[in-house]
């Protein structure tokens, strides 16, 4: 039995299995049974299929501006496993572990030693930037795409000389699956080319032209896919406008923020507060950290700089991060966009660590051990945040907390809980969809503004002649935000939110709202509720509103 090939293979890669078990333990606390935020929007649109034939419509009908049929199918398959979110989140975790294994296998095929590949894969497995992708159900968009993306590159890395039909077919299946999962897969042909050149360790014209000839079917398919998507987006300019800022300043800003998020191993929300409140000290600290990092890199790399510059793996890592982020440069610098690009960081580690001299490699090893320890602690902390978020989510959606709200045909809500610390709760129309999924019906809900929650959320409220005034002391996690999700402001101003007017009366030193006044119209057509940090309460504005039963 011990000589069975499968047993030998598992034994040879036993440390990878231990890494995967350890990663599962780190994320375990965040595997909870509750849905949140955009989960409900997608659940409403992806759980109504009666059978596989009905589900096949995801390949024909795009969902809004997105065409990600394999992601939608995966949500439906999870729905068949029960109404709890556990199946969804366990699936997310399994896909993350599979991505870790594929990255590890890719590095082995690129000639990286097992111990080096294991250390580099650990960076990817435990990086705290991945908690949203793993613990937020809709984060699986990046997981599914990355899984097929890495599978395609794993196949390409195994090609010897010119691949045969079967090898092409297998790689093309994973390539097509990546395109059907997320738009970032349009970068796959470029990364396939980079992998082939890395394998051959040459960018000579003959190698380049031979590789391009091999990859032409993938490039052509990508162009057809891109043309089809651009044609689809022509009919929805408003929906794609948020992803269409290609000004040089915006692109550079996004890359700088992404690089910071990749290299900074601690809480990004606290870093943002430091940046806003103590900008001078933040700049001093950042410059000092960069100088310290540069000093360490010079100490480690100076004797081997020539070898490093000739390392195909090092350049592959830099190209990986640069290229895989290109489809997102026109949008916002969301942290979950970094799931696949962060694998480039692992490739850089895999290139640097084995080239360092033995007496300096000890320092590199200790630095990597410290980084992995910080990653583990931070990911554990964020998993705990998602665990607490689950309890808050269930509390807010409970029968007793929503019973009064659900008696109306339409309501307005101020201070809608948008999130708990770095975890999502309810944004846009997700609270309305959550009630519909949970209870079968919901009032039409107009969200007037949002409140992000901390451990304690003391909110002072006083009534005015035309509405109410709300006051908080903002911090890194606790803050008001407008309906357009804006958090920071240059000056106190007023904003129209539907039929209501929100007057910002006072900002803190970071430009966050510390006091605002909500003015309701003289003849409000709907009941107005607000969240006081613990419960939903009716705003005491004189109104004569007939009670109408909500529609299904």
């Amino acid at each position: 039995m011990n000589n069975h090939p499968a047993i030998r293979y598992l034994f040879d890669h036993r440390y990878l299995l231990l890494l995967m078990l350890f990663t599962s333990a780190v994320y375990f606390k965040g595997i909870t049974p509750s849905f949140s935020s955009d989960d409900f929007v997608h659940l409403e649109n992806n759980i109504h299929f009666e059978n596989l034939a009905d589900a096949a419509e995801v390949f024909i009908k795009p969902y809004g501006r997105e065409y990600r049929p394999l992601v939608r199918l995966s949500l439906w398959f999870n729905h068949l496993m029960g109404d709890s979110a556990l199946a969804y989140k366990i699936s997310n975790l399994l896909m993350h572990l599979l991505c870790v294994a594929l990255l590890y296998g890719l590095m082995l095929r690129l000639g990286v030693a097992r111990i080096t590949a294991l250390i580099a894969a650990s960076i990817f497995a435990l990086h705290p930037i991945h908690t949203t992708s793993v613990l937020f159900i809709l984060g699986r968009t990046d997981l599914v795409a990355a899984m097929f993306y890495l599978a395609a590159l794993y196949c390409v890395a195994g090609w010897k000389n010119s691949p045969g039909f079967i090898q092409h077919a297998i790689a093309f299946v994973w390539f097509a699956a990546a395109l059907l999962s997320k738009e970032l897969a349009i970068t796959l042909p470029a990364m396939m080319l980079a992998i082939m050149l890395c394998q051959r360790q040459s960018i000579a014209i003959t190698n380049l032209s031979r590789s391009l000839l091999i990859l032409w079917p993938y490039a052509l398919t990508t162009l057809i896919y891109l043309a089809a998507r651009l044609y689809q987006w022509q009919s929805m300019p408003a929906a794609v406008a948020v992803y269409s800022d290609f000004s040089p300043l915006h692109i550079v800003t996004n890359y700088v923020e992404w690089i910071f998020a990749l290299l900074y191993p601690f809480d990004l929300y606290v870093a943002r507060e430091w940046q806003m409140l103590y900008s001078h000290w933040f700049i001093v600290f950042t410059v000092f950290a960069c100088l310290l990092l540069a000093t360490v890199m010079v100490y480690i790399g100076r004797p081997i700089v020539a070898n490093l510059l000739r390392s195909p793996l090092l350049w592959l890592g830099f190209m990986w991060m640069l290229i895989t982020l290109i489809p997102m440069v026109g949008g916002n610098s969301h942290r979950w966009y970094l799931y696949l690009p962060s694998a480039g960081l692992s490739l850089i580690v895999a290139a640097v660590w084995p080239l360092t001299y033995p007496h300096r490699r000890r320092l590199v090893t200790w630095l990597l051990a410290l980084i992995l320890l910080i990653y583990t602690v931070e990911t554990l902390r964020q998993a705990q945040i998602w665990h607490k978020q689950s309890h808050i989510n269930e509390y807010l959606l409970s029968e007793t907390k929503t019973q009064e709200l659900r008696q109306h045909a339409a309501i307005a809500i101020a201070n809608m809980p948008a999130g708990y610390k770095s975890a999502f709760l309810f944004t846009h129309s997700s609270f309305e969809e959550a009630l519909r999924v949970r209870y079968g019906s919901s009032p039409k809900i107009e969200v007037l503004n949002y409140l992000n929650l901390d451990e304690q959320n003391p909110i002072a409220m006083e009534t005015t002649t035309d509405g109410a005034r709300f006051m908080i002391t903002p911090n890194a996690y606790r803050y008001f935000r407008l309906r357009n999700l804006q958090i920071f402001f240059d000056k106190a101003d007023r904003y129209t939110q539907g039929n209501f007017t929100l007057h910002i009366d006072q900002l803190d030193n970071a430009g966050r709202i510390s006091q605002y006044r909500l003015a309701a119209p003289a003849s409000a057509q709907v009941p107005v509720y607000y969240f006081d940090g613990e419960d939903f309460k009716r705003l005491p504005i004189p109104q004569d509103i007939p009670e109408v039963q909500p529609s299904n």
Side-chain angles (χ1 to χ4, degrees):
M1 181 69 177
N2 290 337
N3 291 323
H4 192 280
I7 299 297
R8 287 202 307 273
Y9 183 84
L10 291 175
F11 182 79
D12 288 342
H13 301 287
R14 58 193 179 279
Y15 294 115
L16 173 65
L17 297 177
L18 290 174
L19 171 62
M20 295 169 73
L21 286 173
F22 181 74
T23 302
S24 301
V26 170
Y27 278 102
F28 176 77
K29 195 72 172 178
I31 306 298
T32 60
S34 67
F35 301 99
S36 60
S37 191
D38 287 351
D39 291 346
F40 296 105
V41 181
H42 284 262
L43 285 174
E44 272 209 310
N45 290 277
N46 296 299
I47 65 175
H48 62 278
F49 308 120
E50 295 293 334
N51 51 53
L52 193 57
D54 288 345
E57 78 174 37
V58 300
F59 293 96
I60 304 169
K61 299 178 181 178
Y63 176 62
R65 63 179 174 232
E66 299 173 353
Y67 182 69
R68 301 168 181 174
L70 294 187
V71 176
R72 296 180 65 189
L73 273 183
S74 73
L75 293 170
W76 178 61
F77 285 136
N78 280 149
H79 170 68
L80 298 179
M81 301 175 188
D83 295 331
S84 166
L86 281 175
Y88 297 81
K89 295 185 179 182
I90 291 173
S91 297
N92 276 17
L93 178 58
L94 291 175
M95 282 187 279
H96 176 56
L97 297 178
L98 185 54
C99 287
V100 172
L102 285 168
L103 179 60
Y104 171 83
L106 174 63
M107 287 187 284
L108 291 184
R109 286 193 166 183
L110 291 175
V112 178
R114 285 183 189 175
I115 184 63
T116 306
L118 182 71
I119 293 171
S122 300
I123 296 289
F124 180 80
L126 298 169
H127 202 304
I129 204 73
H130 296 157
T131 50
T132 301
S133 296
V134 177
L135 299 178
F136 179 41
I137 291 172
L138 262 295
R140 77 166 45 182
T141 301
D142 294 283
L143 293 168
V144 175
M147 181 175 63
F148 294 131
Y149 198 107
L150 289 167
L153 293 182
Y154 178 78
C155 291
V156 172
W159 288 352
K160 303 299 182 184
N161 299 317
S162 182
F165 176 80
I166 298 298
Q167 291 174 303
H168 259 308
I170 294 173
F172 195 87
V173 167
W174 301 131
F175 165 77
L179 282 178
L180 296 174
S181 301
K182 193 175 182 181
E183 295 75 11
L184 67 81
I186 63 173
T187 63
L188 241 177
M191 289 311 305
M192 294 167 81
L193 176 62
I195 291 288
M196 294 178 70
L197 296 177
C198 182
Q199 282 285 61
R200 295 170 180 174
Q201 299 193 3
S202 171
I203 56 173
I205 296 298
T206 53
N207 277 330
L208 183 61
S209 58
R210 189 182 301 117
S211 300
L212 288 173
L213 284 173
I214 291 173
L215 294 175
W216 74 264
Y218 305 89
L220 179 61
T221 304
T222 300
L223 289 174
I224 294 172
Y225 168 86
L226 192 55
R229 298 307 310 279
L230 290 173
Y231 178 78
Q232 175 202 353
W233 290 333
Q234 282 183 346
S235 62
M236 50 184 73
V240 299
V242 69
Y243 299 105
S244 305
D245 184 355
F246 297 107
S247 65
L249 178 60
H250 182 76
I251 292 173
V252 170
T253 301
N254 274 353
Y255 271 108
V256 169
E257 291 181 358
W258 282 325
I259 291 170
F260 180 82
L262 273 178
L263 298 180
Y264 182 75
F266 302 106
D267 194 316
L268 291 173
Y269 281 69
V270 175
R272 181 178 64 183
E273 182 170 49
W274 270 69
Q275 180 186 3
M276 303 301 295
L277 287 176
Y278 314 106
S279 56
H280 291 92
W281 282 109
F282 183 82
I283 293 172
V284 169
F285 172 79
T286 303
V287 170
F288 174 77
C290 290
L291 290 174
L292 181 62
L293 179 62
T295 302
V296 173
M297 293 304 296
V298 168
Y299 173 77
I300 294 169
R302 185 170 56 86
I304 58 168
V305 64
N307 290 334
L308 275 177
L309 292 177
R310 289 196 298 267
S311 170
L313 198 60
L314 180 72
W315 293 108
L316 179 65
F318 285 124
M319 287 181 59
W320 185 296
M321 289 190 288
L322 179 69
I323 291 173
T324 54
L325 282 168
I326 287 176
M328 286 80 80
V329 294
N332 297 318
S333 56
H334 295 307
R335 62 188 183 271
W336 50 87
Y337 289 163
L338 289 169
Y339 184 79
L340 180 63
S342 67
L345 197 60
S346 295
L347 295 174
I348 293 171
V349 170
V352 173
W353 189 75
L355 290 178
T356 53
Y357 288 171
H359 65 286
R360 301 191 183 196
R361 188 180 298 172
R362 190 176 298 112
L363 172 62
V364 178
T365 302
W366 279 107
L367 285 175
L368 288 174
L370 177 61
I371 290 171
L372 288 173
L373 176 61
I374 293 171
Y375 280 5
T376 299
V377 172
E378 179 61 17
T379 303
L380 279 168
R381 188 188 69 84
Q382 292 194 31
Q384 179 62 41
I385 289 174
W386 281 91
H387 180 79
K388 178 70 178 293
Q389 175 266 3
S390 177
H391 290 288
I392 296 173
N393 188 86
E394 290 302 310
Y395 173 82
L396 294 176
L397 287 176
S398 64
E399 175 77 28
T400 56
K401 298 302 176 186
T402 62
Q403 186 173 14
E404 182 182 340
L405 304 181
R406 291 183 286 109
Q407 302 308 308
H408 306 285
I411 59 175
I413 298 180
N415 306 338
M416 172 68 76
Y420 168 69
K421 294 191 174 181
S422 57
F424 305 124
L425 283 169
F426 304 104
T427 55
H428 304 297
S429 60
S430 59
F431 188 66
E432 182 178 330
E433 278 125 6
L435 294 177
R436 201 151 45 233
V437 169
R438 177 71 62 92
Y439 299 106
S441 64
S442 168
K444 180 66 177 176
I445 298 175
E446 180 182 7
V447 176
L448 303 179
N449 69 306
Y450 294 100
L451 171 66
N452 210 75
L453 306 178
D454 198 357
E455 293 284 354
Q456 302 296 326
N457 304 284
I459 300 177
M461 193 278 285
E462 57 185 39
T463 57
T464 62
T465 55
D466 60 348
R469 179 176 288 108
F470 299 93
M471 293 151 282
I472 64 168
T473 302
N475 63 19
Y477 299 117
R478 181 178 60 242
Y479 47 81
F480 291 122
R481 62 198 307 175
L482 293 189
R483 196 159 63 182
N484 64 2
L485 304 183
Q486 184 177 352
I487 302 171
F488 300 99
F489 302 85
D490 295 326
K491 61 179 182 178
D493 207 340
R494 71 175 185 175
Y495 296 84
T496 300
Q497 308 288 89
N499 294 323
F500 298 79
T501 304
L502 192 149
H503 300 262
I504 298 177
D505 296 327
Q506 187 174 325
L507 301 173
D508 73 348
N509 292 334
R512 296 170 299 204
I513 301 172
S514 57
Q515 179 177 308
Y516 81 90
R517 178 166 49 90
L518 182 67
S523 55
Q525 299 300 308
V526 297
V528 182
Y529 288 83
Y530 69 95
F531 185 71
D532 69 350
E534 294 185 0
D535 297 293
F536 292 105
K537 294 184 178 179
R538 181 94 174 245
L539 196 64
I541 300 176
Q543 302 174 86
D544 183 17
I545 303 167
E547 296 292 339
V548 183
Q549 291 299 315
S551 59
N552 290 340

